[in-house]
Amino acid sequence: MTKRVLVIMGSVRAGRHCPSIAQWVSEVGREKTALTIEIIDLAEWSLPMDDEPGIPALGLYKHPHSKAWSEKVAQADGIVFVTPQYNWGYPAALKNAIDHCYLEWKGKPLMIVTYGGHGGGKCAAQLHQVAEGLKMRPVSPMPAITLSDAIIRENAPLDDATFAAALSPVQDGWAALAESLSSST
């Protein structure tokens, strides 16, 4: 049976590069593995901040959007977060999406792909810590895609050189995720 992986876009900001980067990361995954890959755009999910009356660890969701998000995450065998590094951390929309669930994340292998002017290592470290707290299984490497100042400040298009520099770590990340999924029960 083919394993299902959700590639979750961590940015909802206007003018974001996340859709292009998530698409590229997913294409690399499709070329490198036999996994079923689905891209999730958090901008398409209505997940209001802290609107559930109970704590997610109990899994007793009241709102339809929380139930739908819970079901989507629960159906995945593995997760890939593709996220920018904002101010040395990760976006609030991603934190909110993570915090809407609890048990649904447990035991899932996770690849963290970050991007930004500095690649995103600090963001990846924070996400790694949160993932461990949720009992996820983060894999290495955690690819970090460095964007040029022109891409960030002048909205220059993403170029082949940017993707080429990140290709090997992203391929290695997919291989590690696939291996972790194959060893999952």
Side-chain angles (χ1 to χ4, degrees):
M1 181 177 197
T2 304
K3 301 283 186 168
R4 260 186 84 158
V5 175
L6 299 181
V7 174
I8 299 175
M9 297 185 341
S11 174
V12 298
R13 183 181 280 183
R16 62 200 167 132
H17 295 288
C18 204
S20 298
I21 294 171
Q23 183 63 41
W24 177 77
V25 167
S26 297
E27 288 169 9
V28 172
R30 288 183 187 102
E31 292 169 6
K32 184 74 179 171
T33 72
L35 300 169
T36 299
I37 298 169
E38 179 183 357
I39 298 174
I40 301 296
D41 185 348
L42 291 179
E44 297 173 358
W45 285 83
S46 175
L47 298 171
M49 292 285 256
D50 300 322
D51 71 332
E52 282 292 332
I55 61 172
L58 298 177
L60 303 173
Y61 305 113
K62 176 181 175 188
H63 300 295
H65 56 264
S66 298
K67 291 175 184 176
W69 182 242
S70 167
E71 184 177 321
K72 178 60 77 174
V73 174
Q75 290 174 351
D77 298 300
I79 304 289
V80 176
F81 291 144
V82 175
T83 185
Q85 176 171 282
Y86 290 161
N87 300 318
W88 306 110
Y90 59 100
L94 180 54
K95 178 65 169 147
N96 182 53
I98 293 168
D99 289 349
H100 258 76
C101 296
Y102 182 76
L103 293 174
E104 296 85 346
W105 303 111
K106 187 177 181 178
K108 289 186 178 16
L110 167 68
M111 178 170 62
I112 299 167
V113 180
T114 59
Y115 63 90
H118 301 282
K122 293 183 183 297
C123 167
Q126 291 172 14
L127 277 170
H128 190 278
Q129 183 178 17
V130 169
E132 286 182 331
L134 292 169
K135 306 293 187 247
M136 294 180 83
R137 298 183 354 238
V139 300
S140 290
M142 295 185 294
I145 303 169
T146 301
L147 303 182
S148 70
D149 201 50
I151 292 171
I152 294 170
R153 298 185 188 282
E154 299 163 22
N155 204 27
L158 291 160
D159 55 12
D160 291 341
T162 299
F163 289 130
L167 181 59
S168 182
V170 171
Q171 288 174 330
D172 292 346
W174 277 110
L177 187 69
E179 175 63 28
S180 185
L181 283 165
S182 71
S183 66
S184 298
T185 55

